[in-house]
Structure formats: structure tokens, C-alpha cells
Amino acid sequence: MREVVVLGVGIHPFGRFGDKSAIDMAAEATRSALADAGIAWTDVQFAFGGSFEVDNPDAVLGRLGRTGIPFMDVYNGCATAATALELTAD
């Protein structure tokens, strides 16, 4: 079994934020996680995203900057985040 490390985490506050879209909130949380990890978006080799509310979580790449990395959308109801984390560790 190989060791897996979570380098950084980011979160957007819960609530209503006027015209700010869920994609914009995801981009903000991602930037926060990158800063916490001390890495740049261009250092990321692949990404997973999932959302119950948003049909195209990969749209966040447009806010972060397209780098050509593989991106996989995940949807598994209440287990979406856990599934994305498990796939990332594989």
C-alpha cells in the first residue's frame, strides 16, 4: 500500500453569495487549497471534481486556467467527495 498525503485544504464559506456562482466558489476554495499546500495550479497533475448541484464541475478549470491536465467529474450522491478522494488516492 502506498502512502497518500493531503497537502492542502480549502473551503468556501457556506451561505448565499448573491451572483457568485458555485463554480466561482469552487475556484476560490481550490485557490485556497493550493495556497495551503504551497503549490501552483500548474503543479497539479490531475484533478477530480464533483457536485450535487452543478452538472459540470469541470467548468471550474476555466476559472483556474486550463493546463491540459486530466479532469474527471464524479457523482455519487452523498458520497461524491469521498469517491473523488478515494479515486485520487488510487
Side-chain angles (χ1 to χ4, degrees):
M1 189 167 173
R2 130 190 108 124
E3 182 178 332
V4 175
V5 178
V6 176
L7 292 178
V9 294
I11 191 167
H12 188 280
F14 181 78
R16 297 184 188 274
F17 295 92
D19 292 338
K20 187 187 281 188
S21 72
I23 298 298
D24 290 331
M25 292 182 222
E28 191 174 312
T30 303
R31 287 186 195 101
S32 178
L34 292 167
D36 187 45
I39 63 172
W41 175 238
T42 53
D43 295 326
V44 176
Q45 296 175 353
F46 62 91
F48 288 89
S51 174
F52 177 73
E53 298 290 328
V54 180
D55 289 335
N56 60 338
D58 55 320
V60 74
L61 297 178
R63 305 293 198 284
L64 298 171
R66 300 193 189 280
T67 61
I69 64 169
F71 185 95
M72 181 179 287
D73 290 340
V74 177
Y75 179 74
N76 193 15
C78 294
T80 297
T83 301
L85 187 58
E86 183 179 353
L87 288 169
T88 301
D90 286 343

